Amino acid sequence: MNQNLKIKISDVPRPLRPAVAAKDEVAISGIQKQGDIPRKNERKNDEFCELDEVRGQLEETRSVMEIRINAKTKELRDQAEDLEKQIKERTGELQKKIEESENSRMALMNMLEDMEDLRRRAEEEKEKTLAIITNFTDGLMLFDSVDRLALVNSQMGLFFGVGKEDAKRIIGKKIADFGEVVGFKPLVDLLGGDLTKIARKELFISEKAVFEVSLLEISGQRNKVGVLLIVHDISREKMVERMKTEFVSIAAHQLRTPISAIKWTLRMILDGDLGPITEEQREFLEKTYKSNERMINLINDLLNVTRIEEGRHLYNIVAADMTVLVQSLIVNYADIAKQKNLALDYEGPVEIIPQVKIDVEKMKLVVSNLIENALKYTPAGGKISVSIGQKDDGVLVTVRDTGMGISAEQTDRIFTKYFRASNAVRMETEGTGLGLFIAKNIVETHGGKIWFDSREGKGTVFCFTIPSAEADSILQ
Amino acid sequence: MPVVSFWDKRYNIKRNMKKILLIEDEELIIKLLGKKLAGVGYEVALAMDGLEGIEKMKKIVPDLVLLDIVMPRMGGFEVMAEMKKDSGLAKIPVIIISNSGQPLELEKAKRLGAVDWLVKTEFDPKEVVEKISKYINRAD
């Protein structure tokens, strides 16, 4: 019977365990109900003890087993978790690799697209460039590295009255052989059939057709790729320039009429031709006369500038002696120098200097401008020395002063039209800023050079040269 | 107010006075120069334009002509051209007084026989008188 009870609970399948326990209960209670038989009861008590013991052992075993099971379960769970983690990691890695390859694929696709785009754009650019060249408002001719015409645009034909077919006939030819197309003849004449002289020249065909012709060398990385000939229509600019010059010229002449009337009236009043005047009246009238003279000078400057711009300011070119010209001016300015307490010296040439071919009136203007500037911008007590010498094969005139000088940052603007140095404006408010511009133009038209050296606060020296009459000057 | 002695006012003329014809359209200049010239002893006749100038010139045959260029009806250059055609007038010295003084105009005037050219803004009446005396003596 004991044998029957000694079953391990772990041997019983879990769902049946409570049933086993219940049968035990029933068996036990059945035994207790038969307790009215005492002998039998004693035996039964022993059996109970044994049963309890077994039950205790069983309980113990069960809890031990439970602990073990729990431990094992935990171990298994941990392992499973570990595995899961590894799988996750691996999956992540794979995911990443997939993404990477996807990215590479995309990049490749993009590159392909970009390439296509670039190709298309290059094509477009090419078309655009060609469209620009053919429809450009400037006339264009492109010559290859051996100076043969590679391309000519339609504007070129329009400028020179050459039809499309005629223009095509000169493709592949050198400029010297363009003569067969009559319209291009002025262009060939201007360039002398030569593309080596890279330059910019003006081509006048009629008042409505004035062109600026430029030659540009096109270079590649190392060598010459070709030459570009550009013909730019400047007829309108020329017309505006002419109108502006005419306007200034007319305005200046119109201004002269009333101004000369004022001058003459004042002079005659001052000379007493119109009756006696008081000292006070004389003083005012003298000042008015001087203002009027300034106005006359201003108008004369404006007229001189317009003449320079029209390129018609040199007329009476004669052989002359520069020393005579300069000396006469020194005499003219002696009084003014004295009034301003300035020394005005003249130093003639050591040797006999050659004659010069000049427009005497214009050359006087140059020297007077330089002397007047020196007188104006040298403080009282200073010194102005004018000297003449020889330089190379020309005559050198030097005007040196101990005046206020020109600041270094303004030196490159000193010959610019209407420019007045800031310190000059402070010292003398009157002035047109035209004197040196006029002087430079006159000197250069005579084939000479003008330059200066100056130190602010110390003084300035202006020099100019005029080629001697024997020297081949541009005037011939 | 008579500021100049007009040729027509014969009672003013002294026999030995030199006659100057001033052809100029600007009234102020006429008055000023007329007065100045009369003041230094010249007999002055006036004309307000070229046509009137030629007319007066033929009548009085002046010793010298002061001539403006830009005038109504007939300008200075035409006056000189007319003078050249008339042997009686061709030899009269002409001094141009003008507000302009362009090299091209100067050349043209010289070609037509002008002896001098004065730009009004560069000269005053006193200097005009000095110039005149270079070409004629005030009185014989």
Side-chain angles (χ1 to χ4, degrees), chain A residues 190-237:
Chain A
L190 181 81
L191 297 169
D194 181 13
L195 294 178
T196 51
K197 272 191 186 166
I198 302 299
R200 181 173 292 209
K201 284 177 181 172
E202 211 172 284
L203 176 60
F204 181 91
I205 294 174
S206 72
E207 274 196 0
K208 281 181 178 171
V210 188
F211 302 110
E212 188 185 74
V213 180
S214 339
L215 277 178
L216 271 181
E217 193 177 279
I218 309 165
S219 309
Q221 297 276 11
R222 290 222 177 86
N223 45 355
K224 176 180 146 186
V225 175
V227 173
L228 184 64
L229 190 155
I230 306 165
V231 176
H232 181 60
D233 188 353
I234 52 166
S235 318
R236 205 185 131 73
E237 282 99 315

Side-chain angles (χ1 to χ4, degrees), chain B residues 18-109:
Chain B
K18 292 281 179 184
K19 295 168 279 183
I20 292 174
L21 175 61
L22 171 59
I23 310 173
E24 157 77 59
D25 65 328
E26 214 194 320
E27 218 185 313
L28 188 53
I29 295 288
I30 293 172
K31 281 188 175 172
L32 291 166
L33 199 53
K35 191 173 174 70
K36 187 82 190 176
L37 293 172
V40 295
Y42 288 115
E43 191 53 51
V44 185
L46 298 170
M48 296 283 280
D49 63 62
L51 273 183
E52 198 191 334
I54 290 286
E55 238 170 72
K56 288 228 166 123
M57 216 184 291
K58 282 178 179 163
K59 217 155 81 186
I60 64 172
V61 192
D63 295 292
L64 186 136
V65 173
L66 285 173
L67 181 63
D68 191 10
I69 293 296
V70 184
M71 287 182 294
R73 292 216 290 172
M74 188 194 270
F77 289 123
E78 286 116 301
V79 170
M80 277 190 282
E82 284 296 311
M83 284 172 76
K84 263 195 154 180
K85 285 183 209 160
D86 189 325
S87 59
L89 306 176
K91 292 212 169 124
I92 303 172
V94 175
I95 295 178
I96 306 288
I97 46 165
S98 170
N99 276 309
S100 181
Q102 306 252 35
L104 276 179
E105 298 172 313
L106 260 76
E107 257 171 48
K108 191 174 175 185

Side-chain angles (χ1 to χ4, degrees), chain A residues 104-117:
Chain A
S104 313
R105 199 184 66 88
M106 289 292 281
L108 267 167
M109 288 292 284
N110 284 342
M111 270 165 80
L112 270 172
E113 256 172 49
D114 284 354
M115 290 287 284
E116 180 60 22
D117 211 36

Side-chain angles (χ1 to χ4, degrees), chain A residues 190-330:
Chain A
L190 181 81
L191 297 169
D194 181 13
L195 294 178
T196 51
K197 272 191 186 166
I198 302 299
R200 181 173 292 209
K201 284 177 181 172
E202 211 172 284
L203 176 60
F204 181 91
I205 294 174
S206 72
E207 274 196 0
K208 281 181 178 171
V210 188
F211 302 110
E212 188 185 74
V213 180
S214 339
L215 277 178
L216 271 181
E217 193 177 279
I218 309 165
S219 309
Q221 297 276 11
R222 290 222 177 86
N223 45 355
K224 176 180 146 186
V225 175
V227 173
L228 184 64
L229 190 155
I230 306 165
V231 176
H232 181 60
D233 188 353
I234 52 166
S235 318
R236 205 185 131 73
E237 282 99 315
K238 283 280 152 189
M239 191 187 73
V240 171
E241 211 173 277
R242 210 164 44 237
M243 280 166 68
K244 189 199 79 180
T245 305
E246 272 167 20
F247 168 75
V248 174
S249 176
I250 288 167
H253 283 131
Q254 290 302 314
L255 283 170
R256 268 180 166 181
T257 308
I259 279 176
S260 57
I262 293 168
K263 178 188 165 101
W264 285 25
T265 309
L266 289 172
R267 191 70 262 161
M268 282 185 68
I269 295 173
L270 284 164
D271 287 350
D273 290 326
L274 303 176
I277 50 168
T278 67
E279 235 359 85
E280 196 186 11
Q281 283 168 339
R282 170 175 302 281
E283 210 177 289
F284 279 107
L285 288 173
E286 284 285 3
K287 285 198 170 118
T288 315
Y289 184 80
K290 273 185 188 151
S291 298
N292 197 53
E293 285 297 295
R294 271 210 296 270
M295 198 131 73
I296 290 169
N297 287 336
L298 195 134
I299 292 165
N300 288 346
D301 276 356
L302 282 173
L303 276 171
N304 278 321
V305 168
T306 59
R307 277 174 205 157
I308 284 168
E309 284 171 347
E310 286 169 347
R312 54 179 181 89
H313 63 301
L314 288 186
Y315 270 86
N316 301 310
I317 304 292
V318 290
D321 185 345
M322 192 68 98
T323 53
V324 176
L325 186 151
V326 171
Q327 272 172 317
S328 73
L329 287 172
I330 296 273

Side-chain angles (χ1 to χ4, degrees), chain A residues 39-65:
Chain A
R39 283 184 74 187
K40 262 189 180 176
N41 274 1
E42 270 168 29
R43 234 186 92 200
K44 270 182 191 168
N45 272 345
D46 288 347
E47 277 176 7
F48 275 138
C49 286
E50 201 179 331
L51 208 63
D52 270 348
E53 199 178 311
V54 171
R55 187 181 283 173
Q57 280 172 358
L58 218 60
E59 272 305 313
E60 208 172 293
T61 316
R62 200 179 67 117
S63 55
V64 169
M65 289 308 283

Side-chain angles (χ1 to χ4, degrees), chain A residues 1 3 24 34 54 108 142 150 165 174 184-185 198 231 246 254 274 306 320-321 378 395 408 428 432 436 470:
Chain A
M1 183 161 174
Q3 297 272 304
D24 284 353
Q34 287 161 2
V54 171
L108 267 167
L142 183 67
E165 290 311 309
K174 292 201 171 189
F184 286 135
K185 207 174 171 300
I198 302 299
V231 176
E246 272 167 20
Q254 290 302 314
L274 303 176
T306 59
D321 185 345
T378 304
V395 173
E428 178 81 51
T432 55
L436 288 174
E470 291 87 49

